[in-house]
Amino acid sequence: MKGSDLARAALNWLNGSTLLGLVAARLGHCELQSGTHGLIFAHRYSLSLPHASAFTLGNVVLFRAGPGTVAKRPALVAHEARHSTQYALCLGLPFLPLYFLAAGISVLLTGDPASRNPFERGAGLSDGGYVERPVRPALRRKRTMAQP
């Protein structure tokens, strides 16, 4: 494990977000596995929320799929590892309300919770399986040419 992965893991244990991830994994009847980038993979998450195919809480990445499917999606794993770093940088649990606020603003702007969400953009939209949606036409700034 790289030093940056170890530091992230330590911060996410200290800030409580990894513990929350393990509780969610338990509630979702997940199978735990040591993953890449110092992450803990929780497979076959069974609860209905959130609707995503994968999501991260601290250093725990919860997947709806099993290990075989996850192994075929390294870009998604890298995306979720970036979210894990975001938890560490946001000092843990404050990441959640910040993320949901950003997702709400993105929905207002584009109709999509990821397209203008800086956390999803920072983690890599396409790596997470998202397609960037444009800002709604009514909300776009009008570009005017300067008059001489």
Side-chain angles (χ1 to χ4, degrees):
M1 184 177 349
K2 295 189 314 188
S4 58
D5 293 338
L6 186 59
R8 179 186 62 216
L11 283 170
N12 283 335
W13 271 108
L14 288 171
N15 66 35
S17 59
T18 294
L19 181 59
L20 179 63
L22 291 172
V23 169
R26 174 80 174 175
L27 292 173
H29 307 287
C30 294
E31 303 163 16
L32 297 179
Q33 175 187 30
S34 180
T36 58
H37 307 288
L39 300 171
I40 301 166
F41 291 170
H43 298 286
R44 296 188 176 91
Y45 178 76
S46 63
L47 300 179
S48 61
L49 290 175
H51 300 292
S53 62
F55 67 100
T56 301
L57 294 168
N59 257 46
V60 180
V61 183
L62 298 103
F63 298 99
R64 294 202 178 276
T69 303
V70 171
K72 296 174 187 171
R73 300 203 50 205
L76 176 62
V77 171
H79 173 90
E80 297 302 332
R82 290 181 206 112
H83 281 313
S84 180
T85 300
Q86 292 168 348
Y87 273 95
L89 295 176
C90 289
L91 303 176
L93 301 179
F95 174 78
L96 291 171
L98 292 171
Y99 179 90
F100 291 122
L101 176 63
I105 292 169
S106 181
V107 167
L108 291 173
L109 292 173
T110 67
D112 173 61
S115 290
R116 290 292 181 251
N117 181 331
F119 297 108
E120 289 298 346
R121 292 173 76 82
L125 285 176
S126 62
D127 288 347
Y130 298 107
V131 174
E132 185 170 358
R133 308 277 184 230
V135 173
R136 296 173 194 250
L139 299 175
R140 291 186 195 143
R141 290 185 186 165
K142 301 275 186 195
R143 293 184 184 181
T144 57
M145 296 184 66
Q147 297 293 331

